[in-house]
Amino acid sequence: MEHSADPPPAAEPTGIPVRAPATATAHHPGARRIGGAPISWGACEVPGWGEMPDPETVLDEMARLGLRGTELGPPGFLPHDPGALASRLRHRGLEFVGSFVPLVLHERDADSARRMARDTLALLSQAGGQVLVIAVVQDLQWSPPRDLDDAAWRRLAAHAAEIESLATERGITFALHPHVGTLIETAAQVERGLAETTVGWCLDTGHLVIGGTDPAQFAREHGDRVTHVHLKDVDGDIAAEVRAGRLSLLQATQRGLFRPLGRGVAKVAATLAALDEHGYDGWLVLEQDTAITADEPAVTNAPMLDTQESIAFLNTAQRTEEINQ
């Protein structure tokens, strides 16, 4: 894979060579569109997550790594003006992959969700964005989720279908994202969500594992529903602590929950192989979630090094991860 335009020269971080853009491998016959997410550098939508990194540094490093595109990140991280956003990405040879938006879809009144979705879709369509990624939250403060009754599940499914239709009208792909701390997190909730909805899904290897779902099995059984992919690997022991409620997602992230691809238990290689069987040819967005606390430097080489290692994993024909682990 190559960028449509070469990124401008930039100062190279100490010890980190410039990589050629990510390429397809013999293991994965289709050309892979490998993108990045600002959360790998610490920019996150979850309230109270931590310090924000400098967006210019993040975009420069994504371009130097050879990533083809980026997701938007949290509100205020990148410009909301379509022209300014498109220009900033185009200057670095990056495509606008899409945007992650938490929405309240299980309540009777979904007016706020519709407004937020329309606002994001307008930005996506005007700035060349491609995917609307939705997480279903209890409320916009990310309060702890409560179990849904049958009526609430039906409302969630109906509102998700409505938002997907709004996206389709603008030529935008819709993806429902199972996510820790949302109404679709556990294995049972994922199964119920698949049964209740008809919309496309975002397969996030890390969040599925943390919630108790095998991402490779998800890809094998529901690959036809997958419209977007987030790739992350996780430490199995720390994930178990989150699943048991002994650590919050933020606490676990600070302890090293998310790992470069191939260094955790998320079965990334097996998941990609299953997606290939279903003919998936969409984006693969790399995410090694990072949280910058007040006592940590906001700019380090760690996100770039971790992302570089994940790119190398994707570009290695002979993977070190056992597909059948």
Side-chain angles (χ1 to χ4, degrees):
M1 300 179 186
E2 295 182 353
H3 289 314
S4 58
D6 293 330
E12 183 176 317
T14 302
I16 302 178
V18 177
R19 293 188 61 84
T23 57
T25 70
H27 184 79
H28 296 297
R32 292 297 194 188
R33 288 187 289 166
I34 302 174
I39 195 172
S40 292
W41 280 258
C44 182
E45 296 82 358
V46 178
W49 188 259
E51 301 292 323
M52 281 285 185
D54 172 57
E56 300 300 321
T57 299
V58 172
L59 295 179
D60 286 343
E61 292 190 353
M62 285 185 178
R64 291 187 67 79
L65 285 165
L67 296 174
R68 287 187 58 179
T70 180
E71 291 191 355
L72 184 65
F77 181 69
L78 293 177
H80 193 73
D81 176 80
L85 174 60
S87 176
R88 190 169 296 187
L89 298 184
R90 185 170 57 249
H91 176 66
R92 294 170 171 86
L94 294 171
E95 295 182 49
F96 183 14
V97 177
S99 181
F100 173 90
V101 184
L103 295 180
V104 179
L105 298 180
H106 61 291
E107 303 287 1
R108 290 182 176 84
D109 183 357
D111 286 346
S112 176
R114 293 187 192 95
R115 287 194 297 271
M116 292 178 65
R118 288 192 178 103
D119 182 62
T120 303
L121 287 168
L123 176 63
L124 288 167
S125 61
Q126 293 171 38
Q130 301 166 42
V131 187
L132 177 68
V133 186
I134 294 300
V136 186
V137 290
Q138 183 69 41
D139 52 46
L140 295 182
Q141 291 72 46
W142 286 72
S143 296
R146 296 192 291 269
D147 289 337
L148 301 180
D149 60 21
D150 291 346
W153 273 112
R154 288 193 294 270
R155 290 194 295 269
L156 184 158
H159 293 147
E162 182 181 355
I163 301 299
E164 183 180 56
S165 294
L166 293 175
T168 301
E169 289 172 3
R170 289 180 174 269
I172 305 297
T173 298
F174 177 94
L176 180 63
H177 189 336
H179 194 289
V180 174
T182 73
L183 297 175
I184 303 179
E185 172 182 359
T186 68
Q189 290 165 345
V190 168
E191 287 301 317
R192 181 72 184 266
L194 285 164
E196 293 283 350
T197 68
T198 59
V199 299
W201 280 58
C202 173
L203 190 163
D204 185 302
T205 52
H207 283 282
L208 286 175
V209 167
I210 298 167
T213 296
D214 182 326
Q217 182 178 350
F218 184 100
R220 286 191 293 269
E221 296 180 356
H222 308 291
D224 58 327
R225 299 283 297 274
V226 176
T227 56
H228 193 51
V229 173
H230 285 172
L231 292 180
K232 53 171 67 75
D233 218 335
V234 298
D235 180 287
D237 292 336
I238 300 176
E241 294 291 296
V242 178
R243 197 178 306 121
R246 290 188 287 269
L247 287 177
S248 70
L249 180 60
L250 176 57
Q251 291 168 333
T253 299
Q254 292 169 336
R255 295 191 187 187
L257 170 64
F258 296 106
R259 311 295 297 152
L261 301 187
R263 284 215 268 151
V265 299
K267 301 183 180 178
V268 176
T271 301
L272 292 174
L275 289 172
D276 281 338
E277 291 297 319
H278 283 274
Y280 178 78
D281 61 356
W283 283 98
L284 303 177
V285 176
L286 298 176
E287 290 188 327
Q288 286 84 41
D289 295 16
T290 298
I292 304 171
T293 57
D295 58 349
E296 293 176 336
V299 179
T300 71
N301 288 341
M304 194 169 181
L305 287 168
D306 285 352
T307 303
Q308 184 182 49
E309 184 176 337
S310 292
I311 293 171
F313 175 86
L314 291 175
N315 288 340
T316 300
Q318 300 298 321
R319 307 194 190 283
T320 58
E321 180 190 63
E322 290 292 334
I323 286 184
N324 294 317
Q325 67 175 337

